[in-house]
Amino acid sequence: MNALTHMACWLLAGTLSAGAAAADAPTPSDFAWRATLSVPAGASAARVTLPAEAMLRLQSPDARDVRVFNADGEALAFSVVRPAGSTNGAAAQTRPYPALPLFTSVSGKRPAKGSVQVHVDPSNQQGSVWVNFGDTRNAVSPPETATQRMPSALFDTREDKQTITALTLQADFPVNTLVHFSLASSTDLAHWTPVSVKGPLFRFDGQGAPSNHTLVLHGALPLEGRYLRLSWDGQADVHVQDMVGSIATTWTPPPRVRAPLAPGIPDGNTSLSWSLGFAAPLAALHLSTTRDNTLVPVRILGRHDAAQAWRPLAQTVVYRLGPAGYEDNNAAVALGGASVRWLRVEATSGMVLPTADIQATVEFEPIQLVFLATGKAPFELVAGRAGGTAAAIDSSVLASVMTAKLDDLPNASIASVRLQPVSATDSTLARWLPAGTEQRSVMLWAVLLLGVLVLGGVAYTLLRQLSAKPSSAHAGDGQGVDTPNTDPRS
């Protein structure tokens, strides 16, 4: 009894262990998409971005079914990194803006014609504050009006449409002194908003001595429609002539990976459905129509399994309007990284969806891999395998052992692509499974069911053995059985 039970348990455990080991140590032939990589000569590591055809075969939302192998079939160390975006080029500067000095009218009289009153601080006790937008050399009012120059300067940047991150002053500073500045912006010379700046400005004496004439802003500051007011300590002998702004560089994210979908399955004349064979998160969906003068509001729905109810993902309008050759078309609608196996587009507001003229294109956020070129070439990038565990190394770990920055590594190019054919057994099984069901999970459940049946058979055999033993004992106790008479007196 014990030997039979132990044999069944070891058989079941061995089957499950072998399946788990095979899942954790896949070979290139286990993946649906395979591509040969061309790595630059002498490179110890390289970067590669998954193309659209690989994204369409991913079977996990977190790209855990991606590997890189060498010619000997060894899995290589790799990390999944975020592709670098681009900036708008070299840093540029605005044109110089002259410093307009602020002054107070001690006598309380209005200064010369052309001066504009500036509201600096509600608690200001220095009298009215004025600025002259004319010639800065004659900004101070005529001598007949008693005035006092303030430790501030105004810059009129209202016509500039740029955004700046720093401003550099053309100014005279006292030698060997740290001068602390404050900055504020206003749209009406009455209400001011403080702008945080970093560090003091200074000029030390002597050849090659350090100096700093640039105030770095803590955040980007748009100039359009604004005045800037620069103030400093009144005890410092500072004379500001003009300033130029450092234009903020704009970062452009890397382009998304786009892939068209096959024609959808119509449901009447109001909706289209797609059965997706991948689990890669959807960044956006672009719906277009070839039908002129079309405008249809739609909603987009998704679900992970055919047995689930549809859940809304987004709403948009599909349109194509305008004269031939100058049509205006709708843009892609964001889906927020939804991972679904079924996609559905429905017309709303009682409209008809031109199902025959709708083309759907999915967009993915790019996935880039950094891998070590270990072993023999050629190297192979593979993707698309249900189940398994993640094999990527944290990028910070890989970066800590690399001599070069990950962003500076050379790019590997895809030389050739091979699609792994699906076996006849897998194809037959897939047709009977709900969309999104992993075949590996079904096989593991089948193994578990087989184990349960084996253990059930063992239990049934043991019960039969236990029920047979009392009958044998009853037959051997001599009761109810005729025995020959051996008495000599008979």
Side-chain angles (χ1 to χ4, degrees):
M1 176 182 68
N2 291 336
L4 184 60
T5 304
H6 289 165
M7 183 182 298
C9 293
W10 277 109
L11 178 62
L12 179 60
T15 303
L16 295 177
S17 298
D24 294 336
T27 62
S29 60
D30 295 328
F31 294 83
W33 183 88
R34 303 167 62 182
T36 302
L37 296 177
S38 177
V39 179
S44 60
R47 303 168 67 99
V48 63
T49 302
L50 286 185
E53 54 266 27
M55 301 287 288
L56 291 175
R57 288 168 177 81
L58 289 181
Q59 299 302 308
S60 59
D62 56 356
R64 63 177 54 204
D65 53 327
V66 176
R67 300 287 190 280
V68 182
F69 293 94
N70 60 19
D72 295 326
E74 298 173 335
L76 305 184
F78 74 95
S79 295
V80 177
V81 297
R82 183 175 183 176
S86 59
T87 59
N88 61 351
Q93 292 184 323
T94 65
R95 67 173 180 85
Y97 287 97
L100 306 174
L102 296 177
F103 55 90
T104 60
S105 176
V106 179
S107 64
K109 297 180 180 180
R110 183 182 180 92
K113 183 179 180 180
S115 297
V116 178
Q117 189 172 19
V118 180
H119 185 77
V120 175
D121 189 342
S123 61
N124 178 41
Q125 303 297 324
Q126 295 179 312
S128 299
V129 179
W130 304 86
V131 63
N132 192 312
F133 287 98
D135 188 350
T136 58
R137 293 172 298 179
N138 302 319
V140 180
S141 57
E144 58 269 16
T145 303
T147 62
Q148 180 179 348
R149 188 161 179 168
M150 298 182 62
S152 298
L154 194 73
F155 304 95
D156 184 2
T157 62
R158 291 172 295 171
E159 302 301 322
D160 200 323
K161 300 182 183 299
Q162 302 291 345
T163 298
I164 64 171
T165 56
L167 51 90
T168 301
L169 301 181
Q170 179 68 31
D172 297 326
F173 299 149
V175 180
N176 304 328
T177 301
L178 298 180
V179 184
H180 295 272
F181 287 83
S182 61
L183 186 66
S185 69
S186 174
T187 58
D188 56 6
L189 296 178
H191 303 87
W192 294 90
T193 302
V195 178
S196 181
V197 296
K198 300 179 183 179
L201 303 187
F202 51 84
R203 178 178 64 88
F204 285 89
D205 197 10
Q207 185 176 5
S211 64
N212 177 32
H213 285 65
T214 301
L215 286 173
V216 178
L217 310 183
H218 280 278
L221 175 66
L223 297 180
E224 185 176 12
R226 296 176 182 270
Y227 301 94
L228 301 184
R229 190 187 77 218
L230 188 67
S231 303
W232 56 90
D233 184 0
Q235 303 300 320
D237 187 16
V238 176
H239 298 280
V240 180
Q241 287 83 44
D242 59 50
M243 77 89 177
V244 294
S246 299
I247 299 175
T249 56
T250 57
W251 180 80
T252 303
R256 288 172 172 168
V257 179
R258 306 176 79 248
L261 295 179
I265 302 173
D267 184 6
N269 59 359
T270 60
S271 67
L272 282 172
S273 299
W274 290 265
S275 176
L276 307 180
F278 57 87
L282 299 175
L285 176 68
H286 182 230
L287 298 170
S288 60
T289 178
T290 58
R291 188 178 182 183
D292 294 332
N293 302 321
T294 299
L295 188 148
V296 182
V298 299
R299 61 175 181 171
I300 302 170
L301 308 101
R303 61 185 179 186
H304 191 72
D305 190 277
Q308 295 177 344
W310 293 102
R311 61 185 179 93
L313 300 177
Q315 291 185 343
T316 187
V317 176
V318 180
Y319 62 87
R320 180 185 177 92
L321 301 171
Y326 299 93
E327 298 90 346
D328 188 16
N329 301 279
N330 57 283
V333 58
L335 296 184
S339 178
V340 295
R341 291 289 186 164
W342 288 83
L343 198 63
R344 183 181 178 89
V345 175
E346 294 181 348
T348 61
S349 303
M351 301 287 288
V352 173
L353 186 69
T355 55
D357 304 315
I358 293 293
Q359 171 63 53
T361 301
V362 290
E363 296 184 0
F364 308 101
E365 295 296 347
I367 297 177
Q368 194 169 76
L369 275 64
V370 173
F371 65 93
L372 298 180
T374 308
K376 297 179 181 179
F379 302 102
E380 192 173 32
L381 174 67
V382 299
R385 179 177 181 270
T389 57
I393 300 172
D394 189 272
S395 59
S396 62
V397 176
L398 196 59
S400 65
V401 300
M402 298 291 296
T403 56
K405 295 182 179 179
L406 299 185
D407 290 341
D408 297 334
L409 293 176
N411 291 319
S413 58
I414 295 177
S416 61
V417 175
R418 297 183 303 279
L419 299 180
Q420 185 72 16
V422 182
S423 65
T425 303
D426 291 342
S427 300
T428 303
L429 180 60
R431 286 195 295 267
W432 288 94
L433 295 177
T437 304
E438 297 181 354
Q439 298 183 32
R440 176 177 177 273
S441 300
V442 175
M443 296 301 295
L444 289 178
W445 279 107
V447 171
L448 288 174
L449 180 60
L450 176 62
V452 171
L453 293 177
V454 171
L455 293 178
V458 171
Y460 178 73
T461 302
L462 293 177
L463 289 176
R464 285 178 56 87
Q465 292 177 356
L466 291 175
S467 62
K469 282 187 176 183
S471 300
S472 301
H474 180 73
D477 62 3
Q479 297 181 4
V481 178
D482 293 335
T483 56
N485 187 0
T486 56
D487 189 348
R489 292 179 297 180
S490 56

